Amino acid sequence: PGPGDTVVINVPGEIMVTLDTGTQTVQSLHSEESILFSGSLTVTDQSTVNGNLSIVGGSITASGANASFTANGPTVLDGANLYAMPQWG
């Protein structure tokens, strides 16, 4: 996926989605599944994770006027960085 893409993760059964090293930018992320981040993710629009969220040594950045990142499930942060970067006009 790229900067203009909406990523939807919703499959039957229990799965764990992993973003290893590296940097990814997407427009938005909507996940019903568990996610493990050890890389860097930037979202530029409203994004939600409803499954378990683990960020181990990685980062999540919400960048832009409409950007937000909501974790509704159990969340573990271990050496993680969370950034909110508003877009100034």
Side-chain angles (χ1 to χ4, degrees):
D5 293 328
T6 295
V7 176
V8 177
I9 305 170
N10 187 6
V11 297
E14 295 282 325
I15 68 165
M16 169 73 76
V17 177
T18 302
L19 173 63
D20 281 338
T21 59
T23 300
Q24 300 292 323
T25 299
V26 296
Q27 181 174 350
S28 61
L29 169 67
H30 302 282
S31 179
E32 297 299 320
E33 310 306 329
S34 297
I35 297 182
L36 170 62
F37 287 110
S38 56
S40 297
L41 176 69
T42 297
V43 297
T44 58
D45 206 345
Q46 296 175 0
S47 299
T48 305
V49 173
N50 290 320
N52 296 340
L53 175 64
S54 298
I55 308 172
V56 179
S59 67
I60 294 178
T61 302
S63 179
N66 295 321
S68 66
F69 191 93
T70 304
N72 291 319
T75 302
V76 173
L77 305 174
D78 183 3
N81 294 297
L82 305 174
Y83 302 100
M85 311 293 288
Q87 182 164 341
W88 303 104

